[in-house]
Amino acid sequence: MDIVVLAGGISAERDVSLKTGAMVAAALRKQGHRVILLDVFMGYQGKQEDVADIFANSDKAGITETEISETAPDLAAVKASRGDASGCFFGPKALQICGMADIVFMALHGEDGENGKVQAAFDLLGIRYTGSGYFGSALAMNKEVSKALFQKNNIPVPSGVHMSKDRRVDDFEKTGLTLPCIVKPCCGGSSIGVSIVRSEAEFGRALAEAFRWEDEIIIEDYIEGRDFSVGVLDKKALPVIEIAPLDGFYDYKNKYKAGCAVETCPADLPEDIAAKMMRYAEAASEALGLESYSRMDFKLAEDGGIYCLEANTLPGMTATSLLPQEAQAIGISYAELCEKIIQVSLRRYEG
């Protein structure tokens, strides 16, 4: 097949997306596909006359792998580097090339790639793509909305409140929550802008950090306990994986720098707890109307309570990412996982 692996963009998770895209593209090429790795924002900088034969020259077209830094990228510098005055999210020739592909493998991460807008544009243009559709993507991206749907479907979540930038309240007591709490952007990912607050003095700084990334944030009771994640592939939960950071919590650095966390799959859990977490993951995916594949993050509290934290509609596929490790635990290699995601996604377009 002719496949575009779409990555990059202008979200805070740009670097992670480029790394995911590079790995997916390499795996699909080994499977015999003609693959273009394309930065959705930068687009294709080559000549227009070369576009017609771009898949025939796929080994020379597209972008190359980038490394993930320990901090989020400078998005102002990224936008300035494109060199044109257009504010369009899609870079030069990006939509044209995507439209030429048999399918677009969505390697985007963060708000701009996972909030459903790109998916909606592709639906209107008749471009086939992997992952969930625009509506499920939009529901999952907004943590306030997804939590409400989880609660309606009897999936336990931490207590919390929503706050907007224009109604910021720095008095922690007015939240009605107890310390410690966690402050995070409403629609972000990769733990960017997230702070654990253990004293009232830290609360204002945590608000400032979260509002630096978005105008809407979530403040929740912080659940002391162990971190887990469960992938869902073709409506079936994969084995539970445990994440134990060597230092601090599971932040941006600990997620993407090798050796910063110990990940165990299958997780060392009583069988009934693991089974319940997997059922919650499948139920969360269904509640949000997610398709093809996704991943749910969980906390197991010290008292044994399970809490679903959020849904990821386009989980990372880097060397340290969780979903590939879960698939590997049941004998699905990285390349096989990429292939299966494509085959499952193509079913949506049958008939």
Side-chain angles (χ1 to χ4, degrees), residues 44 66 76 95 99 116 125 135 137 172 183 195 229 238 261 283 292 329 336:
Y44 177 66
T66 64
L95 286 173
L125 294 169
F135 189 60
S137 298
F172 179 74
V183 178
S195 303
S229 195
L238 295 171
S292 305
E336 290 169 338

Side-chain angles (χ1 to χ4, degrees), residues 264-276:
T264 306
C265 188
D268 183 13
L269 283 172
E271 188 174 331
D272 60 328
I273 296 294
K276 183 181 287 189

Side-chain angles (χ1 to χ4, degrees), residues 8-240:
I10 48 174
S11 83
E13 297 173 78
R14 171 182 171 80
D15 287 357
V16 183
S17 171
L18 290 170
K19 187 70 173 180
T20 281
M23 291 192 64
V24 170
L28 291 175
R29 287 182 182 122
K30 289 180 180 177
Q31 294 288 98
H33 301 292
R34 301 197 301 183
V35 180
I36 303 295
L37 177 57
L38 188 66
D39 184 333
V40 64
F41 181 72
M42 293 300 178
Y44 177 66
Q45 303 296 326
K47 298 177 182 178
Q48 176 62 41
E49 55 264 33
D50 294 334
V51 172
D53 297 320
I54 194 167
F55 284 101
N57 299 292
S58 59
D59 57 328
K60 301 175 184 177
I63 56 177
T64 57
E65 180 178 347
T66 64
E67 293 302 316
I68 303 173
S69 64
E70 294 186 5
T71 58
D74 182 344
L75 297 179
V78 171
K79 292 176 183 178
S81 69
R82 192 164 83 177
D84 62 25
S86 172
C88 182
F89 176 76
F90 295 100
K93 309 176 191 67
L95 286 173
Q96 180 185 358
I97 295 169
C98 286
M100 295 166 58
D102 294 310
I103 192 167
V104 175
F105 194 110
M106 298 288 276
L108 296 169
H109 299 317
E111 184 174 4
D112 293 312
E114 294 186 75
N115 63 9
K117 292 181 181 179
V118 174
Q119 289 83 351
F122 282 178
D123 286 343
L124 290 172
L125 294 169
I127 296 172
R128 301 192 294 184
Y129 56 90
T130 59
S132 295
Y134 77 92
F135 189 60
S137 298
L139 293 176
M141 195 71 212
N142 188 300
K143 294 180 178 66
E144 183 185 19
V145 172
S146 58
K147 280 183 64 175
L149 288 169
F150 292 162
Q151 288 175 304
K152 187 174 182 180
N153 286 272
N154 300 312
I155 302 165
V157 297
S159 297
V161 296
H162 167 270
M163 185 184 293
S164 58
K165 195 171 188 177
D166 60 354
R167 295 188 178 182
R168 173 172 168 168
V169 178
D170 284 58
D171 185 348
F172 179 74
E173 287 190 4
K174 292 184 179 179
T175 67
L177 301 174
T178 57
L179 293 172
C181 73
I182 190 162
V183 178
K184 54 189 176 182
C186 190
C187 295
S190 290
S191 297
I192 294 172
V194 175
S195 303
I196 297 174
V197 177
R198 298 189 182 276
S199 70
E200 292 187 20
E202 298 173 349
F203 186 58
R205 293 194 295 272
L207 293 183
E209 174 61 17
F211 281 131
R212 190 161 72 90
W213 298 99
E214 290 181 26
D215 291 343
E216 308 289 328
I217 67 171
I218 296 290
I219 307 164
E220 293 177 335
D221 286 337
Y222 178 67
I223 308 299
E224 298 280 5
R226 297 159 66 188
D227 292 288
F228 298 89
S229 195
V230 182
V232 178
L233 179 63
D234 198 14
K235 299 184 180 180
K236 298 295 183 183
L238 295 171
V240 181

Side-chain angles (χ1 to χ4, degrees), residues 189-336:
S190 290
S191 297
I192 294 172
V194 175
S195 303
I196 297 174
V197 177
R198 298 189 182 276
S199 70
E200 292 187 20
E202 298 173 349
F203 186 58
R205 293 194 295 272
L207 293 183
E209 174 61 17
F211 281 131
R212 190 161 72 90
W213 298 99
E214 290 181 26
D215 291 343
E216 308 289 328
I217 67 171
I218 296 290
I219 307 164
E220 293 177 335
D221 286 337
Y222 178 67
I223 308 299
E224 298 280 5
R226 297 159 66 188
D227 292 288
F228 298 89
S229 195
V230 182
V232 178
L233 179 63
D234 198 14
K235 299 184 180 180
K236 298 295 183 183
L238 295 171
V240 181
I241 187 169
E242 179 171 10
I243 312 102
L246 298 179
D247 181 49
F249 73 104
Y250 199 44
D251 60 7
Y252 186 89
K253 176 183 176 182
N254 285 332
K255 284 184 176 180
Y256 301 115
K257 284 296 180 181
C260 289
V262 176
E263 293 151 358
T264 306
C265 188
D268 183 13
L269 283 172
E271 188 174 331
D272 60 328
I273 296 294
K276 183 181 287 189
M277 204 175 286
M278 292 167 71
R279 287 198 303 272
Y280 282 148
E282 292 172 351
S285 175
E286 184 176 357
L288 295 172
L290 304 184
E291 302 165 280
S292 305
Y293 72 118
S294 56
R295 202 195 74 229
M296 313 302 156
D297 295 336
F298 292 91
K299 269 280 191 178
L300 178 63
E302 293 172 346
D303 64 3
I306 299 173
Y307 297 88
C308 187
L309 303 181
E310 62 181 79
N312 301 270
T313 55
L314 293 175
M317 295 280 284
T318 70
T320 60
S321 293
L322 305 177
L323 188 77
Q325 294 185 61
E326 294 179 64
Q328 184 66 55
I330 56 171
I332 301 174
S333 70
Y334 186 92
E336 290 169 338

